[in-house]
Amino acid sequence: MNLGVLSRMNSNQKEDKVYQEKMYVDWSSFSFFNQSNHLENRSVLTSLPLSPDALKQIVAFVVQPIAANIGITHPSPHSAKLSTDREVNWCMEVIGYGLTLPLNTATTEHDSIRDCVHVYCEWLSALLPQPKSAVPLPLLKLPNHYSRKIIYQLFQIFIPRPGEAPDLINRQAVLCHRVLRTIQSVVINSLIIDQDTWDSLLLLLLTVNDVLLAPPTVPNDIGDQLCDRVLSVLFEIWLHACAKSFPSPRMWKTLTEMAQSWRHRTSLITQWNRISLALTSRLLAELYGPAFLKYATNDEYMLVPSQLSGEVLAQTWYRLLHCIGNPVQLARPSVISQTHKFLQFTIISSQLSDPSLHPCLFSLPSIFVEAMKGVAGLVDAFLGLRSSVFLHERTERTTPSGSSGRSTLPTDFAGHSFPSNAMSHRARCNSLLHLFGSWLFEAALIDCETQFGVKTSAVESSTSSLHMADRSRASSVSVTSESSLQSNRPRSATVVELPPDTSSGGTAIEGYENGRAEALGALCRIFCSKSTDEEILPQYLARFYLVINNGLKIKEEKFIGEAMASILLHSADLFRVNLDGVFTLIPSVIESLEVILLAKDLKIRPSVNRVDLRRASIHVLLSILAAPLHFHSLPIKELAGSLGERNALPTVFSNIRPRLTQLLLSALQVETDSLNSHLLLGGLASLIQDLAAFEQPEQSTISMAPNTYPTPMQADSASNVMSSTSDTHSCHSTSSNSYPSVSEITFDSHLEHDASYSDRMSCTGPLLTFPLGSFHGVVNATFHLVSSKLLAVWKADLNTSLAALELLAFLAEILAKLRVPDQRESRRVVRVLCEYISVQCSRPPPAHSKDLHSTIVAAFNCCASWLFAHPYLATDSECMNLILQVIELGISGSKSQTGKTGEILQLKHEKQLKPVSLRVRDAAEFLLTSLVEQVGNFPSPTGTDSLSCLLNEEDLLQKSCTPKTDSTKSPISAAQHFRYFAASEGTILLGVLEQSPGRTLDSDPMVTILIRNQFGRQVWASQIRHLPRHKCGVHSYMVNPGRPLPMNDFGPVFAFEPQYFPESVDRVRRCLADKTLPSMETPLMIDDRIAAELDKLGRLVDGSVTLKNSEIQEEIGAKRECQSPPLCNEFQTARLFLSHIGFLSVEGLQENSIRGSSLIGLDASSTHFSEDLDSLDRLGSRSHDTVCVFYVRSGQKDSFDILSNTTLTSSLNPHFVEFLQTLGWSQAQVKSDFEKSIGSDSETNNLQVNFQYLYWADGVSEILFAVPALNSSLTSSVSSPFHQSSTPCQSLENHLTIEERQTSPSKRATKNASLSISEVRMIVVWCESFEDHHHFPIGDLLETILNGRENVGHMKTEELVSDCFVIFIHAQQSGLYRIHLRGPHSKLNFATPLVDGMVVSRRALGSLVRQTTVNAGKRRRLDHDSYQLPHIRRKLKISEIATKYRSEMDVPSFYSSLFYSPDTGT
């Protein structure tokens, strides 16, 4: 016998009692069932001096007749009938002895025991409403009394028979299952069980479990086979007892003591998890309503009785939760083995020197994991996370990699992974930490050093931890004074129990790493679920930062443990939920991110999915990207108690920015997952925009319209960047000169002494050699990385390609604003885009799909964005050659020049047009037209809001020389002064206005041409001149210049005879041919008729000569002055213009169709012609989107309240007003055409909502932001520290007249309003409380806004909600902004640069939101097959007008009409 453990065992038992829960300290537990009732329940047969065989025969003779009457066997006429208490009691003595018989191989003995079990199971039906017919009459009279006796005797069937064979153990297990089923049925259906019977049932089950489960586990024994079954029956019947007859404190204490001796059994933790989660589900339904957990489980309905509710339910839940004691003790074999059964086994064993070395304790790591999963499941249930309600999946579900464990980040409906948000109405974080904090913090610190660098041993910790409930230890961490720790808080709120290093106990501590990871994950989910208006105790925050800092320690190079993986998988919201002091974790987090994101050959456990871990790490990275520039020169405080040497100088936020930039670029370089690359590209765009705004001088800030939308509050003018430290109470301002500027820091200088970082970076391949401390270094590195991966890797992936192209287009806009572009890099980007288009178009036919064509269209649009932003690219011959080649490729499907040697050029008219797709052809046509018409001329003098001329027929008629009438004010009358023609295959509408020369400087013919084509409306004035204006003097022919002054100096006058032929003609020798024609002098043969005619002709000539001479004499006599002939004022300028440009040809006119190059006259006299022209003018040539912007106060759910928030600017967050200013340029306030009725039945109020429009456009797209405003107070002016109050339309103000300045904005406002509310598919929501996005009334708002719209009348509210893209913005206390995206199910997912969960700075918020909405609109259009580009819609509209109003005239009539005025017909 090993007696050396007795002293240790006695001391451990005493210490363990100190650690017991204090709720039962004044109560004693029940004695063991078999000991307290052994004598009184002993059968009388044991007192008879008979041999065992004789006793067995007695049992067989007595039990068989009784069993024959219970219906299990065939009924017999010799069956016993028991009618008195004496008979029943005597038979029960025999049956009780029969239950103690050994299970031998003999059939008769087994049949006797089986009959005894069947008889008792049948007799227990006396407790049921309808007892069985074989139940004796005494049992029917006293069912509870006899049932208790039966229960006591049935215990014998569960006692293990030593030395039995496996088949006999199976026989015993069958009988035990029969008894357990019967007890379950009786408990569920009985209505007459009294308190004593309940106690007997519970004690029976407790004793059975203790007998079978308390000893050390032996494989395949009766306890191993019945373990799960007896535990499930115990807990289920215990729940019914709580519902019908709540157990006494003594019973609860007995359960707690016994259950703690069974903790080496895996089934105990499994059943404990199952019962706890079922009770938690029922408890949460009562606390927060049935909708809290939408996915109820079968376990809840099967396990928890419906009668269990209210205070009883809460008591039952709490007591059962603590019935197994501290689950963290499962990681301490020395504590788990402190039971009598383990002591007995150790004493009789010659191989064990300590109970903690028993082989069955080697399964404690897996048991500990199951216990921590159960606790984590309870935490998830209280947080309202969906994963917690699937109780049966806690041990069965697998990660995406196929290994067992907790599932990682859930994926939303759009394919983005992000941590699940807890429900808004739930338990507070402090409450959860009061409940589970002590367990979770203790489990999270397994195998961790204290803040003093001391590890506690197994024995020391098991001893000292028993007293930690009453006194504070040095290992407890707090950020407040020591006195605050003595406040009246729960035990878990003031201490942290540090678990020991249990390696000395025979089990490697690494085996408990999984359980520690579960605890860390649960803690992260608790703290990341913090709501906006919630405060967490500083003690909990300090301990949380301590355990996270320890969990993120890198123990082995290129190896990620379960603890670090669990922290990162569940900490995506760690830096998004306004935790005080959370930025102290940034150094540790960055080190962990570098290990995970930079290493290609990272070692990781099979239970962790590599892609999900990288995705979670990317989310954490995106949440801290804005911090360095935001806090800039503020130091990062070290965590109290951090291990290692303290730095001589504190780390400054600005010093970590190059490190984060390098991490972001390197992670993108090695990333292979599409969604992860999408997230990284969005983060890169956000970083570049923030850095550009940070380094941008004040004089080149984004210009805004003057006196329009309110500007934000003035900032400190001493710095070129807004310091947001004033927005948070946790930050303190420091001098900006204390630390080096961001632009002075490079990657090499900052990290040249960091050897570990250089080693980690070596895993990513060649390092990017750009200086990442400057804006241009980051941009150049981005260009090279994105360009190379776009051509090599991402070209086959739709989402990543679109994100990369969106990033490149966004960079074009950013560089254009800085006005210091790198022309070499710009040319390189254009070359990459052209190569990308060529590669995509040249892919084999099987690869061509809608997705491929979408990437090509996006590349064309990106190329157009670069040309608009950097017009100098159009002057570069190499760029122009490449661009024109890809345009030709897009339109025709092939290139004329491929660069191959000996290639024969193919001319345009020889090519057969076979474009890749119609969408690609349309995109190429748009790029070509933009290149020819707009690049270099954008923005035009009229501003960015229109690519077309603002003048229409009315304006031209007012400015022309045409006589005015009152009728010219009507659009219909104005159109009648124009001649309208359709040309170029019906794709161009020509409006010709013939100018009257009455007010012109000269009499040259002049005509005004109004051209409407696919890409807009243009006005040209043409005048026929013989010389350019700069080559001829300016003089007027309108006034007679008078007689010129006489010249007195006359020259000599020479007289000469005129000669009709040269003199040499007379010297030419005549020939016979000269004589064929007679001369005038030659006599002719003249008859009388000829003579009369000659005479008549002579008289006419003489008369004419006389008349002419008389006129000359009259003129000489009158001495009239010479005058110039009158000017010709009658010109058919329309005819001249059309003829000169080649439209008037007989061949073309004879076709008289809209095919070929014919010119078709249009009938403008129709009353609907002007309306059709106006509808054509309202069709823009650029893609356009409309976004509604709402402000939601904390807790608001009603659409009327939300629409009413913008009543007064003073009541809004000033940062929201500033944000509005950064979205676009203010337009005129337009009243909506709907009303909403509110109020009670007796009194109804009508709300008439106005909308303030903010407009923004570039050369490719335009967008309108509609902000509900109930009055004009929203247009007051507030200054902004970021943006000057100027407008890109300033050049227009210098060129237009006062009248034009007044009329043009109204036209633009009308145009913008027409495309606004009716096409809302995107919403931007500013939330004061982040949790309000859960119940934001998208459907009500859309239904209200779109009420009465024809184009959405057929759509249901559900369709509108599912098709709506929403950006939620929440202002954090730190001054940063958290982004949450919600959108429709789409293959294209979400647009960039914003991604879900990103945290952005104040200076970059407006640009990022605007660009995201623009890109979202583009992606929506790419995803719709039926979408037509704007210029295609205009083309179809022009063809429709040409066909509808074609004038049916033949060629002569058409020519004749050109000679008459269109308004007079003369």
Side-chain angles (χ1 to χ4, degrees):
M1 296 179 60
N2 186 5
L3 302 178
V5 299
L6 286 177
S7 59
R8 295 198 305 270
M9 193 67 188
N10 291 332
S11 62
N12 288 340
Q13 289 176 356
K14 294 178 181 179
E15 294 165 354
D16 189 54
K17 290 181 180 179
V18 178
Y19 191 76
Q20 296 292 340
E21 296 292 342
K22 295 184 178 181
M23 65 177 70
Y24 312 118
V25 66
D26 296 330
W27 302 87
S28 61
S29 60
F30 285 102
S31 300
F32 286 127
F33 186 81
N34 58 335
Q35 293 178 354
S36 59
N37 299 281
H38 177 69
L39 295 177
E40 63 183 65
N41 293 314
R42 188 177 58 177
S43 175
V44 69
L45 295 184
T46 58
S47 303
L48 299 178
L50 299 177
S51 64
D53 293 336
L55 295 176
K56 292 177 183 178
Q57 292 180 0
I58 294 174
V59 171
F61 291 146
V62 174
V63 173
Q64 285 181 359
I66 300 175
N69 198 33
I70 61 177
I72 297 178
T73 59
H74 294 288
S76 173
H78 304 287
S79 59
K81 295 182 180 180
L82 307 177
S83 57
T84 64
D85 291 335
R86 293 182 58 188
E87 295 173 351
V88 171
N89 289 328
W90 188 85
C91 291
M92 292 181 67
E93 294 288 338
V94 177
I95 296 174
Y97 180 81
L99 293 175
T100 62
L101 295 176
L103 286 170
N104 295 329
T105 55
T107 305
T108 56
E109 295 181 3
H110 176 267
D111 291 343
S112 299
I113 299 176
R114 183 196 61 192
D115 291 342
C116 293
V117 170
H118 290 168
V119 168
Y120 270 177
C121 291
E122 194 80 4
W123 286 3
L124 282 177
S125 65
L127 296 172
L128 297 176
Q130 295 181 352
K132 299 291 182 65
S133 58
V135 177
L137 182 62
L139 270 75
L140 296 176
K141 295 180 179 180
L142 299 172
N144 283 284
H145 170 72
Y146 286 103
S147 296
R148 286 193 292 272
K149 288 187 175 182
I150 295 174
I151 291 171
Y152 289 140
Q153 294 183 4
L154 283 176
F155 166 74
Q156 303 296 330
I157 197 63
F158 293 93
I159 298 178
R161 271 64 168 176
E164 292 184 350
D167 58 336
L168 298 180
I169 294 177
N170 293 335
R171 290 183 179 182
Q172 183 181 4
V174 171
L175 297 177
C176 293
H177 280 292
R178 163 71 173 166
V179 173
L180 294 174
R181 285 196 305 271
T182 302
I183 293 176
Q184 274 187 296
S185 177
V186 170
V187 168
I188 294 174
N189 299 312
S190 177
L191 302 177
I192 60 174
I193 300 180
D194 58 13
Q195 181 65 45
D196 294 336
T197 307
W198 277 113
D199 291 343
S200 300
L201 282 171
L202 297 180
L203 284 175
L204 168 67
L205 295 175
L206 286 173
T207 308
V208 167
N209 279 273
D210 191 71
V211 170
L212 296 178
L213 307 182
T217 304
V218 177
N220 298 324
D221 67 345
I222 186 63
D224 192 36
Q225 289 198 14
L226 293 177
C227 179
D228 192 71
R229 178 61 175 165
V230 294
L231 284 170
S232 64
V233 173
L234 169 64
F235 284 117
E236 292 175 19
I237 292 180
W238 198 280
L239 293 181
H240 285 277
C242 293
K244 299 177 181 180
S245 180
F246 197 79
S248 63
R250 292 187 63 195
M251 193 68 68
W252 281 104
K253 186 171 185 178
T254 305
L255 171 65
T256 303
E257 291 179 350
M258 289 187 175
Q260 293 182 17
S261 65
W262 310 333
R263 290 184 293 184
H264 59 285
R265 303 275 184 171
T266 305
S267 297
L268 172 67
I269 305 302
T270 302
Q271 295 299 326
W272 178 72
N273 289 341
R274 177 168 169 255
I275 295 297
S276 298
L277 285 170
L279 286 172
T280 302
S281 179
R282 177 66 63 83
L283 180 65
L284 293 175
E286 289 203 2
L287 291 176
Y288 306 110
F292 184 79
L293 294 178
K294 299 180 180 179
Y295 304 93
T297 61
N298 294 330
D299 286 339
E300 177 186 349
Y301 298 109
M302 294 174 59
L303 299 180
V304 183
S306 58
Q307 304 92 331
L308 194 61
S309 61
E311 183 65 24
V312 177
L313 175 63
Q315 286 288 335
T316 303
W317 172 83
Y318 187 81
R319 292 168 187 253
L320 286 178
L321 178 65
H322 291 82
C323 69
I324 65 170
N326 185 3
V328 185
Q329 291 181 348
L330 292 170
R332 301 170 184 160
S334 59
V335 175
I336 300 301
S337 60
Q338 294 176 10
T339 63
H340 295 281
K341 298 296 183 181
F342 275 92
L343 176 63
Q344 294 174 3
F345 186 87
T346 305
I347 292 176
I348 64 177
S349 174
S350 60
Q351 299 178 354
L352 290 180
S353 60
D354 194 289
S356 62
L357 300 179
H358 194 279
C360 72
L361 298 180
F362 293 160
S363 62
L364 283 182
S366 61
I367 299 175
F368 176 62
V369 172
E370 290 300 319
M372 289 297 102
K373 284 184 178 180
V375 176
L378 298 179
V379 171
D380 292 345
F382 276 99
L383 293 176
L385 302 182
R386 181 179 183 272
S387 60
S388 65
V389 299
F390 295 99
L391 309 182
H392 60 283
E393 295 181 358
R394 298 299 300 173
T395 56
E396 299 176 0
R397 64 184 179 187
T398 58
T399 60
S401 60
S403 58
S404 176
R406 177 181 297 276
S407 60
T408 57
L409 290 176
T411 303
D412 70 345
F413 44 79
H416 285 66
S417 294
F418 57 89
S420 298
N421 293 316
M423 298 190 68
S424 56
H425 301 288
R426 54 161 179 79
R428 293 287 183 171
C429 295
N430 285 331
S431 300
L432 293 179
L433 293 172
H434 294 338
L435 283 172
F436 308 107
S438 59
W439 295 347
L440 295 176
F441 282 124
E442 186 178 356
L445 287 173
I446 289 179
D447 192 34
C448 293
E449 297 178 349
T450 66
Q451 66 185 59
F452 302 103
V454 180
K455 278 191 175 182
T456 54
S457 63
V459 177
E460 176 188 356
S461 65
S462 62
T463 303
S464 59
S465 63
L466 302 175
H467 307 284
M468 297 179 70
D470 299 322
R471 61 186 180 90
S472 174
R473 288 182 49 183
S475 59
S476 61
V477 182
S478 175
V479 296
T480 58
S481 62
E482 183 178 359
S483 60
S484 64
L485 296 178
Q486 306 301 329
S487 60
N488 188 16
R489 299 289 185 188
R491 181 174 62 89
S492 60
T494 56
V495 295
V496 174
E497 300 180 6
L498 296 180
D501 180 9
T502 57
S503 57
S504 60
T507 303
I509 193 65
E510 286 76 10
Y512 300 100
E513 181 75 8
N514 291 344
R516 180 192 177 202
E518 288 288 339
L520 287 169
L523 283 173
C524 291
R525 290 193 295 277
I526 291 175
F527 282 88
C528 289
S529 65
K530 173 186 173 295
S531 59
T532 304
D533 58 345
E534 187 175 359
E535 295 294 335
I536 300 180
L537 293 176
Q539 296 89 335
Y540 286 139
L541 288 173
R543 288 174 205 137
F544 176 66
Y545 298 153
L546 176 65
V547 299
I548 295 299
N549 188 59
N550 281 278
L552 293 177
K553 290 179 181 177
I554 303 172
K555 298 181 180 180
E556 183 180 349
E557 191 69 23
K558 298 182 182 180
F559 177 78
I560 299 299
E562 292 280 352
M564 182 184 295
S566 180
I567 291 174
L568 294 175
L569 283 171
H570 302 96
S571 297
D573 289 339
L574 184 61
F575 296 94
R576 304 170 181 166
V577 292
N578 295 322
L579 292 176
D580 292 338
V582 70
F583 289 104
T584 58
L585 295 175
I586 279 189
S588 301
V589 170
I590 292 179
E591 291 182 2
S592 302
L593 295 180
E594 288 169 349
V595 174
I596 295 174
L597 296 178
L598 301 185
K600 293 183 178 179
D601 53 346
L602 183 66
K603 299 177 183 178
I604 193 170
R605 294 190 183 276
S607 58
V608 180
N609 184 276
R610 185 184 302 270
V611 174
D612 289 342
L613 178 60
R614 289 183 62 87
R615 185 168 305 156
S617 303
I618 292 171
H619 275 284
V620 176
L621 176 61
L622 295 182
S623 64
I624 62 177
L625 279 180
L629 288 179
H630 181 70
F631 298 107
H632 191 41
S633 58
L634 291 181
I636 302 176
K637 295 183 179 180
E638 293 186 8
L639 186 65
S642 297
L643 300 179
E645 299 181 358
R646 293 180 177 270
N647 298 327
L649 294 177
T651 304
V652 185
F653 274 97
S654 60
N655 292 341
I656 66 174
R657 189 191 59 77
R659 190 172 178 182
L660 286 177
T661 305
Q662 180 68 33
L663 175 60
L664 182 63
L665 291 171
S666 301
L668 182 60
Q669 184 179 7
V670 302
E671 186 57 62
T672 57
D673 182 71
S674 172
L675 182 55
N676 291 349
S677 300
H678 179 274
L679 297 175
L680 290 170
L681 288 170
L684 188 56
S686 173
L687 176 66
I688 294 175
Q689 169 62 30
D690 195 16
L691 185 58
F694 180 82
E695 294 189 354
Q696 185 176 9
E698 291 186 359
Q699 61 270 18
S700 62
T701 54
I702 302 175
S703 57
M704 291 290 116
N707 300 324
T708 54
Y709 243 66
T711 55
M713 299 180 296
Q714 290 287 356
D716 199 355
S717 59
S719 176
N720 66 335
V721 61
M722 184 275 300
S723 177
S724 300
T725 58
S726 61
D727 297 332
T728 172
H729 61 274
S730 61
C731 302
H732 305 279
S733 60
T734 58
S735 174
S736 60
N737 298 325
S738 302
Y739 301 96
S741 172
V742 174
S743 59
E744 299 174 359
I745 303 173
T746 61
F747 170 67
D748 298 330
S749 64
H750 178 59
L751 299 173
E752 59 183 357
H753 302 297
D754 194 344
S756 61
Y757 181 78
S758 301
D759 294 339
R760 290 192 294 271
M761 286 300 301
S762 62
C763 304
T764 63
L767 290 177
L768 299 174
T769 58
F770 301 98
L772 300 181
S774 65
F775 169 77
H776 289 287
V778 177
V779 171
N780 291 337
T782 302
F783 281 156
H784 283 262
L785 178 59
V786 174
S787 300
S788 60
K789 297 209 71 174
L790 181 63
L791 292 174
V793 181
W794 296 337
K795 61 184 179 181
D797 183 73
L798 172 63
N799 282 317
T800 311
S801 295
L802 293 180
L805 293 172
E806 290 167 356
L807 172 60
L808 293 178
F810 192 39
L811 289 179
E813 178 188 347
I814 295 175
L815 293 177
K817 291 179 182 178
L818 293 179
R819 299 178 182 177
V820 283
D822 189 342
Q823 296 188 11
R824 183 174 59 87
E825 291 298 330
S826 300
R827 289 193 295 268
R828 184 177 185 273
V829 171
V830 173
R831 184 169 62 253
V832 169
L833 291 175
C834 294
E835 183 178 355
Y836 177 80
I837 294 173
S838 301
V839 170
Q840 296 292 76
C841 292
S842 61
R843 296 182 68 179
H848 282 260
S849 62
K850 172 187 172 183
D851 293 347
L852 176 65
H853 298 160
S854 296
T855 60
I856 300 174
V857 172
F860 273 114
N861 292 333
C862 182
C863 189
S865 299
W866 273 92
L867 291 176
F868 276 108
H870 306 282
Y872 61 83
L873 294 173
T875 62
D876 185 86
S877 59
E878 180 183 0
C879 287
M880 284 301 299
N881 185 32
L882 293 174
I883 292 172
L884 293 176
Q885 284 185 7
V886 296
I887 290 175
E888 179 190 15
L889 176 62
I891 295 176
S892 64
S894 62
K895 293 182 180 179
S896 297
Q897 299 178 0
T898 59
K900 297 180 180 179
T901 306
E903 176 187 20
I904 300 177
L905 297 181
Q906 190 176 11
L907 301 180
K908 175 182 177 180
H909 64 276
E910 298 175 352
K911 297 183 67 173
Q912 185 177 4
L913 299 183
K914 292 183 178 180
V916 175
S917 71
L918 295 180
R919 291 199 301 157
V920 174
R921 183 198 64 185
D922 296 339
E925 288 179 352
F926 175 78
L927 177 59
L928 176 61
T929 306
S930 301
L931 179 63
V932 174
E933 295 185 0
Q934 303 297 336
V935 172
N937 299 322
F938 182 86
S940 64
T942 60
T944 60
D945 56 350
S946 178
L947 298 179
S948 302
C949 180
L950 296 180
L951 300 176
N952 56 14
E953 282 83 355
E954 299 176 66
D955 300 326
L956 293 176
L957 195 59
Q958 292 178 1
K959 300 294 187 287
S960 68
C961 302
T962 304
K964 304 295 188 303
T965 60
D966 294 339
S967 61
T968 57
K969 297 181 180 180
S970 172
I972 300 177
S973 302
Q976 293 178 354
H977 289 76
F978 285 74
R979 300 179 187 270
Y980 289 95
F981 306 94
S984 298
E985 302 181 2
T987 59
I988 297 178
L989 289 183
L990 298 177
V992 183
L993 177 63
E994 297 180 332
Q995 295 279 13
S996 174
R999 292 168 53 185
T1000 58
L1001 295 178
D1002 50 42
S1003 60
D1004 292 338
M1006 186 174 182
V1007 65
T1008 302
I1009 311 299
L1010 185 59
I1011 304 174
R1012 290 180 171 92
N1013 59 7
Q1014 305 174 48
F1015 299 94
R1017 179 181 63 192
Q1018 304 297 333
V1019 177
W1020 294 89
S1022 177
Q1023 187 178 31
I1024 297 179
R1025 300 185 62 87
H1026 297 287
L1027 289 176
R1029 294 184 183 274
H1030 68 278
K1031 290 185 178 181
C1032 61
V1034 178
H1035 54 275
S1036 176
Y1037 294 95
M1038 300 299 295
V1039 182
N1040 192 345
R1043 180 182 179 86
L1045 296 175
M1047 298 180 63
N1048 297 325
D1049 186 11
F1050 293 98
V1053 180
F1054 300 96
F1056 62 92
E1057 183 180 357
Q1059 297 258 344
Y1060 298 101
F1061 295 97
E1063 296 179 355
S1064 61
V1065 175
D1066 297 336
R1067 295 193 296 267
V1068 177
R1069 184 179 179 180
R1070 293 181 178 273
C1071 62
L1072 295 177
D1074 295 331
K1075 299 178 181 181
T1076 57
L1077 295 176
S1079 63
M1080 295 296 296
E1081 293 82 7
T1082 304
L1084 298 175
M1085 298 299 294
I1086 300 175
D1087 54 9
D1088 296 338
R1089 184 181 61 83
I1090 295 176
E1093 291 180 356
L1094 290 175
D1095 182 62
K1096 183 178 180 180
L1097 179 61
R1099 289 195 302 271
L1100 290 176
V1101 172
D1102 293 341
S1104 297
V1105 172
T1106 302
L1107 180 61
K1108 187 65 177 176
N1109 290 334
S1110 63
E1111 292 178 354
I1112 293 174
Q1113 292 299 326
E1114 290 179 359
E1115 291 179 0
I1116 293 175
K1119 297 181 181 181
R1120 296 175 59 186
E1121 292 289 341
C1122 293
Q1123 295 180 356
S1124 61
L1127 296 177
C1128 181
N1129 294 327
E1130 298 296 332
F1131 293 100
Q1132 291 78 36
T1133 52
R1135 174 181 57 81
L1136 293 176
F1137 175 79
L1138 296 176
S1139 177
H1140 290 171
I1141 63 177
F1143 278 124
L1144 293 183
S1145 62
V1146 178
E1147 294 79 6
L1149 293 174
Q1150 286 178 347
E1151 295 182 9
N1152 198 22
S1153 66
I1154 61 174
R1155 296 185 301 271
S1157 60
S1158 61
L1159 185 70
I1160 305 301
L1162 302 180
D1163 183 10
S1165 61
S1166 175
T1167 56
H1168 300 288
F1169 184 77
S1170 297
E1171 298 177 0
D1172 289 339
L1173 288 182
D1174 183 67
S1175 63
L1176 174 62
D1177 293 337
R1178 289 179 178 271
L1179 292 177
S1181 59
R1182 295 172 292 183
S1183 60
H1184 59 269
D1185 298 282
T1186 305
V1187 182
C1188 278
V1189 183
F1190 298 104
Y1191 186 92
V1192 180
R1193 302 188 189 278
S1194 180
Q1196 284 186 339
K1197 300 179 182 180
D1198 184 68
S1199 59
F1200 168 72
D1201 295 336
I1202 295 174
L1203 290 172
S1204 304
N1205 285 334
T1206 52
T1207 303
L1208 295 175
T1209 306
S1210 58
S1211 64
L1212 299 176
N1213 189 326
H1215 294 171
F1216 171 71
V1217 180
E1218 173 190 310
F1219 164 71
L1220 292 180
Q1221 182 219 355
T1222 61
L1223 293 178
W1225 310 292
S1226 178
Q1227 301 291 310
Q1229 195 176 54
V1230 181
K1231 183 180 296 184
S1232 63
D1233 57 353
F1234 68 87
E1235 294 183 353
K1236 179 184 177 182
S1237 298
I1238 58 172
S1240 60
D1241 296 336
S1242 59
E1243 183 180 357
T1244 301
N1245 298 323
N1246 290 328
L1247 171 65
Q1248 195 172 38
V1249 181
N1250 300 332
F1251 281 89
Q1252 178 73 28
Y1253 291 105
L1254 300 169
Y1255 178 80
W1256 183 91
D1258 59 7
V1260 180
S1261 58
E1262 53 185 347
I1263 190 167
L1264 199 67
F1265 295 91
V1267 185
L1270 274 72
N1271 54 34
S1272 59
S1273 61
L1274 196 60
T1275 60
S1276 59
S1277 177
V1278 182
S1279 59
S1280 170
F1282 299 142
H1283 312 286
Q1284 294 178 348
S1285 296
S1286 60
T1287 174
C1289 303
Q1290 285 178 345
S1291 58
L1292 174 66
E1293 303 296 331
N1294 299 327
H1295 292 83
L1296 298 183
T1297 63
I1298 298 177
E1299 180 182 2
E1300 290 170 329
R1301 295 180 192 179
Q1302 295 174 351
T1303 57
S1304 297
S1306 63
K1307 293 180 182 179
R1308 291 193 291 266
T1310 303
K1311 167 183 175 293
N1312 295 336
S1314 66
L1315 55 87
S1316 59
I1317 301 301
S1318 61
E1319 300 179 0
V1320 173
R1321 290 297 182 272
M1322 288 181 284
I1323 295 177
V1324 175
V1325 183
W1326 184 287
C1327 296
E1328 290 185 353
S1329 176
F1330 181 75
E1331 291 72 28
D1332 289 337
H1333 80 272
H1334 291 290
H1335 44 72
F1336 179 71
I1338 301 178
D1340 294 342
L1341 286 171
L1342 289 178
E1343 186 177 2
T1344 303
I1345 293 174
L1346 303 177
N1347 185 21
R1349 301 288 175 175
E1350 296 180 357
N1351 56 340
V1352 295
H1354 64 280
M1355 297 185 65
K1356 298 180 179 179
T1357 304
E1358 295 78 8
E1359 297 177 357
L1360 292 174
V1361 174
S1362 62
D1363 194 43
C1364 191
F1365 176 72
V1366 187
I1367 301 177
F1368 294 96
I1369 303 171
H1370 170 62
Q1372 295 182 324
Q1373 295 178 358
S1374 62
L1376 298 174
Y1377 295 87
R1378 179 180 181 181
I1379 304 298
H1380 174 63
L1381 304 181
R1382 183 190 302 174
H1385 297 271
S1386 173
K1387 189 176 182 180
L1388 297 180
N1389 292 333
F1390 287 123
T1392 56
L1394 290 180
V1395 296
D1396 186 70
M1398 178 181 288
V1399 177
V1400 300
S1401 68
R1402 177 180 167 189
R1403 67 176 66 87
L1405 178 63
S1407 298
L1408 294 175
V1409 170
R1410 182 182 61 244
Q1411 191 63 33
T1412 302
T1413 55
V1414 171
N1415 293 337
K1418 292 180 180 178
R1419 289 203 178 198
R1420 184 190 300 273
R1421 289 183 284 273
L1422 287 177
D1423 197 32
H1424 286 75
D1425 296 328
S1426 59
Y1427 175 76
Q1428 294 176 337
L1429 292 176
H1431 71 276
I1432 298 300
R1433 292 200 299 268
R1434 286 185 59 89
K1435 178 181 178 180
L1436 297 177
K1437 184 64 176 179
I1438 292 173
S1439 299
E1440 177 187 348
I1441 294 176
T1443 304
K1444 182 178 180 181
Y1445 298 101
R1446 181 174 58 183
S1447 179
E1448 300 293 341
M1449 291 189 297
D1450 54 10
V1451 176
S1453 301
F1454 179 78
Y1455 271 114
S1456 299
S1457 64
L1458 296 177
F1459 289 88
Y1460 300 101
S1461 174
D1463 51 350
T1464 62
T1466 58

